[in-house]
Amino acid sequence: MALWSGRFEKGVSAFTQEFGASLPTDASMYAQDIRGSLAHAKMLVAQGVISDEDYAAIERGLSHIKSQMDEGAFAFDVNDEDIHMAVEGRLISDIGSAGARLHTGRSRNDQVATDIRLYAKDAIAELLAVNCELRRAFLDKADECFGIVMPGYTHLQHAQPVLLSHHLLAYAWMFTRDFKRLLDAYSAADANPLGSAALAGTTYPLDRRMTTELLGFDHAIPNSLDAVSDRDYLLDLDYACSVAMMHLSRICEEIVLWSSTEFGFITLSDSFSTGSSIMPQKKNPDFAELTRGKMGRVVGDLVGLLVTMKSLPLAYNKDLQECKEGAMDAAKTLHDCMVIVEGMVSTMTVHEDVMRAGASKGFTAATDVADYLTKKGMPFRQAHETVGELVLYCEKNGKDLADLSIEELKGASDLFEEDIVSALDIDAIVRARTTYGGAGHDAVKVQMEEAKAALEADRKRIPA
């Protein structure tokens, strides 16, 4: 019999029971549910609402239930609608009337809101830790590959040569911003709804400051209606996960391209590749592709919750049952994808010679040749046009800029001298980018130290 059955003469049908149940989703919140109940019980006895004997029985009963759940030995009842009713029903069965007093001054509305917030905080803390490990992998690879030159792209066309380290650090900074978004989501979840009851608070002398402290929340939510109906913090989590997945999808797209025969920039470890059931030669970047594909489900989780929350009147509505699964899925998906990308980047083999050869193709020195003319006194727009004409000449004659003789160059402008050779040298081109944030060796070293410092500072901000 349901714990709320007093008002009803008939029970729900088996199908209705199954349709309305959330246990398959929220069973994973059992530890948070029991934490919340223990804090509530401890506060009740401190306020003289229940006796010391009742509290002792409740504490023993909940501890026993948690041990069973930890071991996977807890047998759920077919009528268990959710984890909250499952725990309370078993507690009452085990310890009797003391268990029935646990729910004094509490509703499932503020109970579930408390559980979800605790779950979100735990999940986000884990995501923050994995985010730092992911960034460490990119920083380590950037260190390992320092000095390797690759083609930089715009529109997926060769643009200018850059250091591979610079390219990898661009992702490290994206993941650094992801850390901040996740930390903001943690802050949004770090508020205590317990004691708000169904929607209006309660007549019992509850001490919400006490449960806030016991549960490790930053503060109690000041409005009971808002406390039981707010899921903004899950939207913040879903959004943070969506942006992070977008960043992972971008690097995975590049991993797919770089590991292809056409690029040949990297070879993925066998541990992060699969073969073909029919083509013996294949080594497929399946895990990069799957991570790229999983972004869709995480964005779907965000959109799903936004649509669920749209037009919900205050306070609690059964619609809110649908808020949990998507957020749990988004957090789990992001967690696993960060682990996968960390592994791929840490173990991939970089082919320096192929990257360097690519950096020398596609007229990547063209901007520096234009800068050379500008430094000789030619207006930049004229220099741009002059070098553009040289590129067209090269294309028609099957040459690269470095292949042109000094006579051919002087045919375009008398400003060209023998020192043009330095403007065509790939290493010199990269090294010349000394501005803050640039792709040159010295600038990247400065950037690397800043990225490492940011990582170490963020590690200290991960909630315990």
Side-chain angles (χ1 to χ4, degrees), residues 97-388:
S97 60
R101 295 188 181 96
L102 171 62
H103 209 55
T104 305
R106 183 177 71 169
S107 164
R108 268 196 301 177
N109 294 355
D110 61 334
Q111 183 181 2
V112 68
T114 302
D115 291 0
I116 299 172
R117 285 179 177 273
L118 291 173
Y119 187 94
K121 287 177 62 178
D122 291 343
I124 295 169
E126 178 64 19
L127 289 175
L128 292 169
V130 178
N131 170 280
C132 287
E133 294 308 308
L134 175 66
R135 287 156 64 186
R136 171 51 59 191
F138 274 75
L139 293 175
D140 287 347
K141 185 61 72 171
D143 260 335
E144 175 190 325
C145 297
F146 189 80
I148 294 178
V149 179
M150 66 172 289
Y153 297 86
T154 63
H155 309 282
L156 208 56
Q157 305 292 316
H158 286 219
Q160 293 177 282
V162 298
L163 291 179
L164 172 60
S165 299
H166 189 58
H167 195 104
L168 294 171
L169 284 169
Y171 283 101
W173 289 116
M174 293 182 207
F175 303 142
T176 301
R177 296 193 296 272
D178 292 336
F179 184 96
K180 183 179 184 304
R181 271 182 285 271
L182 287 167
L183 197 62
D184 288 343
Y186 183 94
S187 178
D190 197 14
N192 182 20
L194 193 59
S196 299
L199 77 162
T202 178
T203 59
Y204 294 96
L206 304 188
D207 186 346
R208 296 190 63 209
R209 290 183 178 82
M210 180 178 179
T211 55
T212 296
E213 183 176 340
L214 289 172
L215 292 171
F217 283 116
D218 178 72
H219 62 278
I221 298 173
N223 184 289
S224 59
L225 286 166
D226 187 40
V228 298
S229 62
D230 170 38
R231 296 297 184 270
D232 290 358
Y233 59 96
L234 292 184
L235 287 168
D236 292 341
L237 172 57
D238 282 348
Y239 176 71
C241 290
S242 295
V243 176
M245 282 299 301
M246 178 267 290
H247 291 151
L248 293 177
S249 179
R250 294 181 72 181
I251 183 61
C252 284
E253 170 71 5
E254 299 205 296
I255 287 172
V256 170
L257 290 173
W258 291 357
S259 63
S260 68
T261 303
E262 286 73 18
F263 278 74
F265 286 178
I266 64 170
T267 298
L268 289 173
S269 164
D270 290 353
S271 299
F272 294 94
S273 307
T274 63
S276 166
S277 63
I278 188 172
M279 295 169 283
Q281 84 281 11
K282 293 298 294 297
K283 187 174 184 181
N284 300 324
D286 276 16
F287 299 103
E289 294 170 348
L290 188 56
T291 298
R292 184 178 62 186
K294 282 182 179 290
M295 182 202 165
R297 68 185 290 164
V298 175
V299 173
D301 292 330
L302 171 61
V303 173
L305 182 54
L306 282 167
V307 175
T308 296
M309 295 300 297
K310 176 188 176 293
S311 303
L312 283 189
L314 292 175
Y316 183 84
N317 299 272
K318 187 68 169 177
D319 312 51
L320 291 174
Q321 182 172 297
E322 291 296 302
C323 75
K324 294 173 284 189
E325 188 171 5
M328 291 175 177
D329 176 72
K332 177 68 164 57
T333 301
L334 175 59
H335 175 282
D336 293 351
C337 288
M338 285 195 292
V339 171
I340 287 291
V341 173
E342 175 199 345
M344 282 191 294
V345 170
S346 297
T347 59
M348 70 184 186
T349 300
V350 175
H351 302 301
E352 179 177 359
D353 56 338
V354 181
M355 282 194 169
R356 185 178 184 82
S360 301
K361 297 177 183 177
F363 307 104
T364 56
T367 301
D368 288 79
V369 176
D371 288 342
Y372 169 90
L373 291 173
T374 301
K375 291 170 184 175
K376 294 280 187 174
M378 183 182 289
F380 178 77
R381 280 300 168 204
Q382 184 181 343
H384 185 284
E385 183 177 357
T386 299
V387 177

Side-chain angles (χ1 to χ4, degrees), residues 409-447:
L409 289 167
K410 279 186 171 295
S413 173
D414 289 335
L415 294 175
F416 284 113
E417 302 291 344
E418 294 293 340
D419 61 353
I420 183 59
V421 174
S422 63
L424 296 170
D425 179 73
I426 293 299
D427 291 307
I429 289 172
V430 175
R431 199 174 293 278
R433 264 64 189 175
T434 57
T435 52
Y436 177 75
H441 296 65
D442 291 340
V444 171
K445 286 179 181 177
V446 171
Q447 180 191 171

